[in-house]
Amino acid sequence: MSPIEYSAEIAELLGKVRRRPTAGWPWRPGEQVPDGLPVKQSWGWLFAPDGRVLTLVNPRDGICSLPGGSLEPEDAGDPAAALAREAAEEAQAVIGRPYYLGYLYDRVGSANGGHECARVRMAAALRAVGPSVTDPASGRHYRRLLVAPGLAVELLGWGGPGLRQARTAVATAVRWLGVPAAANETIEELPVEGCVISPGTVYPGSGSSQPF
């Protein structure tokens, strides 16, 4: 097995990573959210053409995350719209059409005031990232890494359930986005000035209305 390649600067960043304990929300791949169960969050596996996914690292506390967040009124209840907006705010990311993967069932409702809810997961092509800036909602300024999906699960600290979710995301991306099933394993930090990653149609409401 070849060693994973990454720079000394990334090695320093990864040394700060702090994995959160898994919440144990059951993963419902391919199932639609039942009527009456509110969708409170939408997060995305955003794929580069070589199969790597965008993973965010907060250098202040070492917490890793996928782009995404809570649905807001302007999203009109649409998880895809929420993902496009949150990805732009958190990572200055521009994405293609999101594909629905399934949802996590939050039985204790930690994202819904103590009432049960769904946390949707989606996959989309990562078209580009703009210049790196602070997330206006949280005040966090993320470092933006491209990593293989399996390594993303390790950095996120999601364990077995996370691997099952990643497999669903990869299978969807292979089918609809044309990425390879075996991703490039090099860890790469995206430039702070931004860059184009995969030319194509941009999803409405994403970071740019122009195709790349």
Side-chain angles (χ1 to χ4, degrees), residues 61-114:
D61 59 15
I63 296 297
C64 299
S65 62
L66 297 179
S70 299
L71 273 70
E72 301 293 347
E74 60 264 38
D75 303 321
D78 182 1
L83 173 59
R85 176 185 53 77
E86 288 282 356
E89 291 177 359
E90 292 181 340
Q92 300 74 57
V94 180
I95 66 173
R97 170 191 169 184
Y99 291 86
Y100 180 80
L101 301 176
Y103 71 96
L104 294 163
Y105 173 54
D106 182 353
R107 62 170 65 87
V108 300
S110 53
N112 190 32

Side-chain angles (χ1 to χ4, degrees), residues 27-31 33 100-104 119-122 168:
W27 169 234
R28 309 294 196 212
E31 296 183 22
V33 178
Y100 180 80
L101 301 176
Y103 71 96
L104 294 163
R119 299 168 181 257
V120 164
R121 295 292 185 264
M122 310 192 84
T168 302

Side-chain angles (χ1 to χ4, degrees), residues 3-22:
I4 298 174
E5 297 181 4
Y6 50 90
S7 68
E9 185 177 9
I10 291 177
E12 181 181 2
L13 177 63
L14 295 181
K16 300 176 181 178
V17 167
R18 179 169 61 86
R19 295 168 181 82
R20 292 177 286 191
T22 58

Side-chain angles (χ1 to χ4, degrees), residues 129-176:
V129 292
S132 179
V133 298
T134 300
D135 177 4
S138 68
R140 301 184 183 100
H141 196 153
Y142 295 101
R143 302 274 290 272
R144 307 173 296 186
L145 303 182
L146 289 181
V147 304
L151 179 57
V153 171
E154 173 65 22
L155 295 176
L156 293 161
W158 286 358
L163 282 174
R164 291 191 288 274
Q165 186 183 141
R167 291 189 188 107
T168 302
V170 170
T172 299
V174 169
R175 179 179 181 185
W176 296 108

